[in-house]
Structure formats: C-alpha cells, structure tokens
C-alpha cells in the first residue's frame, strides 16, 4: 500500500483503516510511505520543523518495521524528490523519484517478500506512479480521496501520474461524486463510488470512562471542536466572525498546521492545541459540545468526503459544516451553512441540541469502515 502519510501518524485516513482490515482478514500488508529526501536533512540543519524532520530521518534509518500479524511499514529516502521546486517538479523526476531511493526500493520490497503482491494499492501520493514501475503485481487498485491537483503544494505534473494510474488500474475507488465524474472522463469500467467511513468503536466511547485532557480542562463550555489538518482550505475568516459573535464559546482546533497562525493571538476564545495522537482524539471530542467543519468552498473541498464528519457523529456530537457538494449529497444530520452569519446561527442552534442524538449514531454505524471494506472485497472477488 502506497500512502503519503505515516502509518502511525496523528492523521488517520481511509488507507489506515483498510490496511488494518486487510491484516485482520489474514493478509500481509507492506505500508510504503512517500519518501523523504535531502530536503528534510537540510531543514534539520537549518532548524526548520527540526523535531518533525528528525523523526522522519529516524524512520528511514530504522528501515522496515515489522508490526504484528504480517504488517510491515517502510519510510524510504530518495535523492530525487518530486517537489514543487524548479526541476524537481519535472516529468522526469515524477517518473524516476523512486528509482533514486537509498537503499534500492526494489531490493527492500523483494527482501521482505512483497515483490509480487496479489494487490498493489495506490493512494494519491507523489511517489505512487514511480513505485508502480518497480513492482510486479497481479492487480492494481487506485483509491482517490481528493482532487489531488487542486492542492497548492502539489506540482502541476502530478496530473500526468494520476492519468497513467487511472488508465492502468484494475479497480478505482473514489470517495466523492466529483471525483467519480472526473475519472469517468477517462474510463468507464470498474470505477466505484465508495465514501469514507466511521471508526465507530473508537469514537463512541462515553466520557464517563475517560479523563478530561488537561489542556482543555480549564476551557469554559460551551466548546466547539475541529479535528484535522489546518491548511489553506480552512476558513479562518468565518471562524473569526464566529469568535467575535460568540465570545462565550470556546473554539478548539486540534491538528497539524502549515499556515501562519500569529493572527489568532487577538482571539481569547480560539484555542489551537496542535496535533494529538489518534488514540487520544476521542477524549477531546467527548468533552466538547458540538463539532465544526469550517472549510472554504472551492474545487478541492467540493471533492472531499471528510472523515471527521463520521467521527464527530460516532462521538454523538451535533455537527456544523460548510455546505460542500459531497457533504450535501450525504444527507447527514449535519447543519449546513453558506455564509459566516449562517455559521454563527448553526453553531448556536447546535449548542441547543442534546449530545448523543440517535440519528448521529445511526449515520455513523451505517457508514462504518467495516461496511466499506465489505464492498471492496466484493469488487475484488468479482475481478479475480
């Protein structure tokens, strides 16, 4: 499985859950994380995100990590990283980034008996196409969860990699209708709409059995939480409007950020807590009163199917979300807004609702990762 994220990272997406489910079914899984590069070494020396980059370098030095039940993870290093810099964003680098891995990725995979897998599972990662050329696989599965080329940090040439993978894949799973329409422009066969899902058992635990995290213990109620990455798709202007209009509400944001947050200093009721371990997230969610998805509306966000929506409902929280195309199609119990003032109205409305409404749990259980995985297995069996 090729993925842009660490297996044990603070952000957990569909590939993480599917990898675990494959292992639970008795399959061996090799988790290949997109390679780091000399750029990470330079950043370490310059002190930029030093802790994060040191962690990445250690993961490469440690080599293949064997977890339980036939599960391996590997974080490689390449001398030719595909990045949004001159030359490094070229087609040549896109095609050959994995070929310049140290040690040879082909040797690493072969020595761990994954050189001829039944399934090569590719997600939208910069190295996916290059990796595909180093493995002799029986079937190729491609999972699209974003309009990848809409990310501001992704080189424009990434679209060529995606087109090639779409043409070669035996099965394609897409998590949003707009992604389905995009793939259908290229091919019509074996393309399936399969949204994200809920890790219901992880998030439905009651707060009675958990201790309140110390970093929110003194924050006043009501509390509205956001869990996830904070990047250029996050609508800070709407959040600022709500923070001014609802000074009694504590807005809690959990997750890694790659944007400048200095402008938040003037708000005493917006609390940026950074990333947290996935195992600890339910504790934070359960001690809040509502949840939010304050995204900008654009091509990228209209093509996303937020995992956090299912997680919030698994925890029994009312949810306020931007009226995004995919979320609207889900017909979930979420309160949708189009303007900053509607966001405020819906926050106030959500805070009058009782946590644990049966409709929240019903939505989450109906959309579990287990249910999604059963569909995947069904399509694979048909193909074989």
């Amino acid at each position: 499985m090729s993925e842009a994220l660490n297996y044990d990272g603070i952000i957990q997406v569909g590939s993480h859950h599917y990898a675990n489910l494959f292992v639970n079914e008795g399959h061996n899984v090799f988790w290949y994380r997109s390679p780091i590069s000399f750029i990470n070494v330079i950043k370490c020396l310059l002190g930029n995100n030093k802790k994060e980059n040191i962690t990445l370098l250690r993961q490469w030095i440690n080599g293949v990590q064997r977890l339980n039940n036939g599960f391996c993870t590997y974080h490689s290093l390449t001398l030719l990283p595909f990045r949004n810099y001159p030359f490094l964003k070229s087609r040549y680098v896109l095609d050959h980034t994995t070929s310049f891995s140290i040690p040879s990725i082909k040797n690493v995979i072969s020595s761990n008996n994954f050189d001829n897998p039944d399934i090569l599972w590719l997600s939208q990662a910069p190295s996916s196409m290059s990796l595909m050329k180093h493995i002799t696989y029986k079937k190729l599965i491609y999972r699209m969860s974003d309009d990848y080329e809409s990310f501001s940090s992704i080189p424009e040439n990434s679209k060529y990699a995606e087109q090639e993978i779409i043409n070669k894949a035996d099965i394609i799973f897409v998590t949003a209708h707009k992604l389905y329409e995009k793939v259908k422009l290229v091919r019509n066969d074996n393309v399936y709409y399969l949204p994200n899902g809920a890790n219901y058992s992880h998030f439905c635990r009651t707060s009675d059995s958990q201790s309140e995290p110390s970093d929110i213990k003194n924050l006043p109620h009501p509390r509205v939480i956001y869990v996830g990455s904070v990047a250029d798709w996050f609508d800070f202007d709407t959040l600022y409007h709500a923070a001014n209009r609802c000074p009694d509400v504590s807005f809690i944001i959990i997750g890694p950020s790659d944007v400048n947050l200095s402008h938040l200093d003037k708000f005493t009721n917006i609390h940026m807590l950074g990333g947290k371990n996935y195992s600890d997230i339910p504790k934070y969610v359960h001690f809040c009163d509502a949840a939010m998805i304050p995204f900008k509306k654009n091509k990228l966000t209209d093509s996303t199917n937020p995992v956090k929506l299912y997680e919030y409902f698994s925890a029994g929280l009312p949810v306020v979300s931007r009226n995004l195309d995919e979320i609207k199609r889900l017909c979930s119990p979420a309160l949708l807004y189009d303007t900053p003032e509607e966001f405020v109205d819906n926050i106030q409305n959500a805070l009058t609702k009782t946590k644990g409404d049966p409709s929240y749990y019903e939505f989450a259980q109906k959309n579990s990762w287990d249910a999604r995985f059963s569909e995947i297995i069904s399509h694979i069996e048909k193909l074989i």
Side-chain angles (χ1 to χ4, degrees), residues 23-77:
V23 170
N24 291 343
E25 290 290 315
H27 301 284
N28 295 325
V29 173
F30 188 99
W31 182 279
Y32 175 78
R33 200 269 196 198
S34 291
I36 61 171
S37 69
F38 63 88
I39 296 175
N40 299 94
V41 177
I42 294 173
K43 286 182 176 180
C44 275
L45 296 174
L46 295 176
N48 296 343
N49 296 321
K50 188 171 184 179
K51 183 178 179 181
E52 175 186 348
N53 284 293
I54 287 176
T55 298
L56 295 176
L57 287 170
R58 283 176 177 168
Q59 289 174 340
W60 167 65
I61 292 170
N62 290 337
V64 175
Q65 298 297 295
R66 293 187 172 275
L67 307 181
N68 51 25
N69 302 322
F71 200 157
C72 299
T73 66
Y74 182 60
H75 200 158
S76 68
L77 181 145

Side-chain angles (χ1 to χ4, degrees), residues 3 18 26 33 45 47 58 63 74 101 106 112 154 158 160 173 179 223 243 258 269 299 302 314 355 360 376:
E3 177 56 62
Y18 291 139
R33 200 269 196 198
L45 296 174
R58 283 176 177 168
Y74 182 60
S101 294
K106 193 167 186 177
N112 286 276
I154 300 300
S158 63
Y160 298 110
F173 294 112
L179 298 178
R223 299 169 179 168
D258 61 4
N269 59 336
K299 183 181 178 183
D302 264 336
S314 295
K355 290 169 61 176
Y360 304 159
I376 288 175

Side-chain angles (χ1 to χ4, degrees), residues 225-250:
I225 192 169
Y226 170 86
V227 179
S229 297
V230 179
D232 54 9
W233 59 78
F234 192 95
D235 190 354
F236 278 106
D237 289 338
T238 292
L239 181 62
Y240 299 156
H241 181 75
N244 282 320
R245 293 272 281 105
C246 306
D248 59 323
V249 176
S250 297

Side-chain angles (χ1 to χ4, degrees), residues 324-368:
L324 302 174
D325 182 76
E326 189 59 30
I327 293 182
K328 185 177 181 179
R329 289 173 182 258
L330 290 174
C331 298
S332 77
L335 302 173
L336 307 182
Y337 73 92
D338 287 301
T339 67
E341 195 56 35
E342 287 179 4
F343 178 69
V344 170
D345 291 342
N346 283 345
I347 289 292
Q348 293 173 338
N349 185 7
L351 292 174
T352 67
K353 295 183 178 296
T354 303
K355 290 169 61 176
D357 187 289
S359 65
Y360 304 159
Y361 296 129
E362 180 182 352
F363 177 81
Q365 289 175 308
K366 184 175 67 175
N367 292 282
S368 70

Side-chain angles (χ1 to χ4, degrees), residues 173 192-195 370-380:
F173 294 112
Y192 304 103
Y193 170 69
L194 192 67
D370 294 280
R372 302 286 192 249
F373 186 68
S374 295
E375 292 187 54
I376 288 175
I377 294 301
S378 175
H379 289 305
I380 291 175

Side-chain angles (χ1 to χ4, degrees), residues 148-162:
Y148 200 52
E149 61 190 75
S150 295
F151 283 103
S152 57
S153 60
I154 300 300
E156 183 180 355
N157 278 324
S158 63
K159 64 185 179 184
Y160 298 110
E162 185 153 87

Side-chain angles (χ1 to χ4, degrees), residues 94 176 203 253 293 327:
L94 172 67
F203 283 90
I253 301 176
I293 306 178
I327 293 182

